[in-house]
Amino acid sequence: MLFKILHYLAFSVAIGGGVASMILGIRASKNADAAPHLRGAQRAIGTGAILAIGLLWITGLAMWIGSYGASMALGGGFHVKLAAATLLTVLSAYVFVRGKNAAKGGTPLPPKTARLIGATTLSLAVVAVSAAVVTFSG
């Protein structure tokens, strides 16, 4: 039960952080004076979101192993969830690392790319949670 509660809380932080980060990124791209402050907030929120994604993997794997013995025979919805969660993790990690590098003087993501990745990760989060509900709801 504890893993499930932590899993839900981590999902809330991850998706909420992703949405908040997208909003800050849009605002920063439209206001050069506020951009440094908004980018700092975006990095802090991104750090929380990436840690929450890590917690999602830890709790999800623990529940999967504990409840299903690591069985891959949970149906297509489970595989869709895994694929969406994996791609979401890869994209989020990429944006996180790029953001840390940009903060140290590296090149930030171009706004169009950032918007595309933001929309993609949000869509993947919706797919992952939908597939999980389909898979694990009796």
Side-chain angles (χ1 to χ4, degrees), residues 10-134:
F11 186 77
S12 299
V13 170
I15 196 165
V19 171
S21 185
M22 285 190 313
I23 291 168
L24 291 175
I26 291 166
R27 296 283 169 99
S29 71
K30 295 179 180 183
N31 186 336
D33 293 335
H37 304 290
L38 296 172
R39 297 277 185 226
Q42 197 175 23
R43 280 190 297 279
I45 291 168
T47 299
I50 204 79
L51 291 172
I53 290 171
L55 185 57
L56 279 166
W57 278 101
I58 291 166
T59 56
L61 288 170
M63 289 187 297
W64 173 56
I65 292 166
S67 297
Y68 301 97
S71 172
M72 292 299 287
L74 296 175
F78 180 68
H79 298 285
V80 169
K81 180 212 178 310
L82 280 180
T86 300
L87 188 52
L88 170 66
T89 302
V90 168
L91 288 173
S92 297
Y94 172 73
V95 169
F96 182 74
V97 169
R98 279 295 296 262
K100 288 197 80 79
N101 290 339
K104 295 176 184 173
T107 329
L109 285 172
K112 277 187 173 182
T113 303
R115 282 192 297 275
L116 177 62
I117 291 175
T120 301
T121 55
L122 183 57
S123 298
L124 288 166
V126 170
V127 168
V129 77
S130 300
V133 168
V134 167

